[in-house]
């Protein structure tokens, strides 16, 4: 674990008008000065690598969804569905029933969210890792260590439409090993109602640094028809989402597939969390005799933390796309375990059955729907294709107990990964951009799998 760097505030958040943003940022750098012990001024590098636009939805819907009161889109628009969800929450917690996000209601929702997370701490806006704030620049911590950049945070808020409020600020992580140099991030924060932000959408591209890569981190429900999303996606090199926070994973993954079909270069931070699982799976079948046994696989079991099947679906989509399996049926059932059963057909007409099991866990992790274990096996008792991969011993034991006709031929364990939070993955993602073929292929399989059931 590396200790977080000290953050030097070059400019605390300052309210300005929209047309003063660039002038104010230039003024920050012109007036900058710090005297070190030797009287010299440390060099400060301003944003010169890329622009990151972060669309940060208002917290109310996220809290309501996390606690099971709301299942609509997380879009920052507090409409009728959110009103009903708020009333349900207020009834349950014996608060004044207003259908609005009162101070008391938000405080209670944050408290209950924290209890459910079991970590004893609430982020500044109550959203845990689902957070960006100019007064707590954790994104800058992760990214400015490697690249000085400009971050534009778009924050839709509830209430009356009073236009858009703008703030500018600048933060520089101070590294002990290189304290003579400050690498700084510029923050521009634009807040207003969702409709107000849409109105000024045409101004936002002008704030992107010309000639440099541009990234859009869309932390709301992906909506191909959202006007602001469409405008920003059209001018950015990469659109970044995190499917672990999707409220309706199957339909939201379908929305991602629609975006792929319109040639939008997508990246999913949740996809990056699967890298170790994919690498171990591929490694398990590298030996020639194991590679030949791939065709014998006709049973796939994947366990994930109950609540969000996005990771499980993405892994299965990747596996099916690599082995040329085509989906033919999709069924769901909910009880103590959330079970998804999917049937595929291989090129040789062999049928493959996959089971995704949402397993209730006592100690819920930071990432909703993290994989626990997976098993690839065959109904052919003579096949030598069985593999178990797990993140913990308990997961391996369950897979061994429910192994079916074949004993596990190969065990692999995924090492504990400390950098799975969105900010750390994002700092890696901005080192690359463009189309991700494997991810898009996996989304294509998922779309073919779930679309008929959603239409039905």
């Amino acid at each position: 674990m590396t200790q977080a760097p000290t953050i030097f505030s070059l400019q605390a958040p300052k309210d300005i008008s929209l047309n003063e943003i660039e002038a104010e940022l230039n003024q920050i750098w012109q007036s900058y000065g710090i005297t070190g012990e030797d009287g010299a001024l440390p060099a400060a590098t301003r944003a010169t690598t890329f622009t990151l636009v972060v669309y940060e939805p208002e917290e109310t819907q996220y809290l309501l969804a996390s606690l099971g009161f709301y299942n609509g889109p997380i879009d920052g628009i507090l409409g009728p569905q959110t009103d009903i969800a708020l009333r349900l929450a207020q009834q349950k917690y014996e608060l004044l029933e207003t259908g609005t996000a009162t101070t008391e209601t938000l405080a209670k929702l944050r408290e209950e969210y924290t209890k459910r997370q079991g970590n004893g701490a609430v982020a500044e806006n109550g959203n845990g890792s689902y957070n960006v704030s100019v007064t707590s620049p954790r994104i800058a911590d992760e990214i400015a260590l490697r690249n000085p950049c400009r971050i534009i945070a778009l924050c839709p808020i509830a209430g009356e439409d009073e236009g858009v409020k703008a703030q500018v600020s600048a933060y520089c992580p101070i590294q002990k090993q290189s304290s003579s140099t400050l690498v700084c991030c510029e923050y521009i924060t634009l807040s207003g109602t969702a409709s107000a932000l849409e109105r000024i959408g045409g101004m936002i591209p002008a704030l992107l640094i010309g000639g440099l890569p541009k990234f859009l981190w869309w932390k709301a429900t992906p909506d191909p028809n959202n006007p602001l999303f469409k405008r920003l996606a059209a001018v950015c090199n990469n659109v970044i989402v995190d499917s672990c926070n999707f409220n309706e994973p199957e339909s939201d993954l379908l929305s991602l597939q629609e975006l792929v079909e319109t040639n939008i270069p997508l990246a999913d931070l949740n996809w990056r969390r699967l890298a170790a699982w994919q690498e171990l799976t591929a490694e398990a079948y590298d030996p020639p005799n194991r590679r030949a046994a791939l065709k014998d696989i006709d049973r796939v079991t994947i366990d994930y933390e109950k609540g969000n099947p996005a990771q499980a679906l993405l892994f299965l989509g990747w596996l099916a796309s690599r082995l040329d399996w085509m989906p033919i049926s999709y069924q769901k059932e909910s009880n103590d375990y959330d079970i998804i059963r999917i049937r595929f057909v291989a090129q040789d007409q062999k049928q493959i059955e996959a089971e995704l099991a949402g397993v209730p866990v006592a100690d819920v992790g930071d990432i909703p729907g993290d994989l626990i274990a997976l098993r690839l096996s065959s109904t052919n008792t003579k096949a030598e294709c069985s593999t178990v991969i797990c993140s913990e011993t308990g997961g391996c034991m369950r897979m061994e107990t429910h192994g079916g006709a074949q004993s596990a031929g190969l065990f692999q364990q995924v090492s504990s990964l400390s950098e799975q939070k969105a900010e750390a993955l994002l700092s890696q993602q901005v080192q690359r951009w463009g189309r991700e073929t494997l991810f898009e292929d996996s989304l294509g399989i998922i779309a073919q799998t779930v679309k008929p059931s959603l239409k039905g």
Side-chain angles (χ1 to χ4, degrees), residues 123-331:
E124 186 167 324
N125 73 350
N127 285 359
S129 62
Y130 206 82
N131 179 57
V132 58
S133 167
V134 291
T135 57
S136 180
R138 293 185 302 159
I139 297 175
D141 290 2
E142 300 288 349
I143 296 176
L145 291 176
R146 303 167 178 84
N147 305 284
C149 68
R150 174 175 292 183
I151 296 176
I152 303 173
L154 307 178
C155 304
I157 59 175
E160 295 295 321
D161 188 341
E162 298 177 352
V164 174
K165 175 182 175 183
Q167 285 186 336
V168 296
S169 55
Y171 293 96
C172 315
I174 299 174
Q175 303 291 331
K176 288 184 179 180
Q177 65 271 26
S178 58
S179 57
S180 62
T181 303
L182 296 178
V183 181
C184 304
C185 266
E186 300 173 340
Y187 266 93
I188 301 169
T189 304
L190 305 176
S191 57
T193 63
S195 57
L197 289 173
E198 284 181 13
R199 277 202 312 277
I200 61 107
M203 298 176 61
I204 296 173
L207 299 175
L208 308 178
I209 301 174
L212 296 176
K214 303 164 184 66
F215 298 93
L216 171 61
W217 187 14
W218 191 263
K219 297 175 72 177
T221 298
D223 180 3
N225 299 312
N226 181 297
L228 183 59
F229 176 87
K230 287 197 291 187
R231 186 186 295 272
L232 294 174
V235 296
C236 288
N237 299 93
N238 220 186
V239 176
I240 302 167
V241 299
D242 192 346
S243 60
C244 86
N245 288 317
F246 284 177
N247 199 25
E248 297 178 327
E250 289 98 333
S251 59
D252 291 343
L253 288 171
L254 272 181
S255 294
L256 292 190
Q257 174 61 17
E258 290 180 36
L259 295 172
V260 168
E261 290 172 355
T262 60
N263 293 318
I264 290 178
L266 277 177
D268 182 359
L269 300 182
N270 217 21
W271 169 260
R272 295 186 69 86
R273 295 187 183 101
L274 293 173
W277 295 88
Q278 294 166 329
E279 288 168 8
L280 285 176
T281 303
E283 180 184 300
Y285 295 98
D286 270 348
N289 63 314
R290 297 277 292 171
R291 194 174 308 163
L294 273 170
K295 68 181 186 306
D296 293 316
I297 295 172
D298 60 13
R299 293 293 182 271
V300 180
T301 306
I302 302 174
D303 285 0
Y304 63 94
E305 291 187 8
K306 184 176 179 178
N308 184 331
Q311 270 192 35
L313 286 168
L314 285 168
F315 180 88
L316 185 61
W318 168 76
L319 185 67
S321 69
R322 296 305 88 199
L323 298 178
D324 291 321
W325 296 346
M326 296 303 296
I328 54 177
S329 70
Y330 181 90
Q331 295 178 320

Side-chain angles (χ1 to χ4, degrees), residues 9 25 50 63 70 80 86 133 213 254 263 310 337 364-365 388 431 433:
S9 176
L25 286 171
F50 59 84
L63 291 170
Y70 177 75
L86 282 165
S133 167
L254 272 181
N263 293 318
Y337 285 44
V364 179
V388 172
Q431 306 295 323
W433 59 89

Side-chain angles (χ1 to χ4, degrees), residues 11-32:
Q11 168 67 62
K14 178 180 178 181
D15 293 347
I16 58 170
S17 67
L18 288 172
N19 57 9
E20 295 174 335
I21 291 174
E22 287 290 356
E24 182 62 31
L25 286 171
N26 288 331
Q27 179 62 29
I28 290 172
W29 293 95
Q30 289 171 10
S31 61
Y32 157 73

Side-chain angles (χ1 to χ4, degrees), residues 22 27 42 46 93 95 147 222 237 256 276 293 329 338 344 355-356 365 377 384 410 421 425 431 435 447:
E22 287 290 356
Q27 179 62 29
R46 73 179 297 190
Y93 301 130
L95 301 171
N147 305 284
N237 299 93
L256 292 190
S329 70
D338 287 342
F344 296 92
E355 178 183 283
L356 313 184
S377 60
E384 296 294 334
L410 180 65
K421 292 189 176 180
L425 293 170
Q431 306 295 323
R435 307 289 290 269

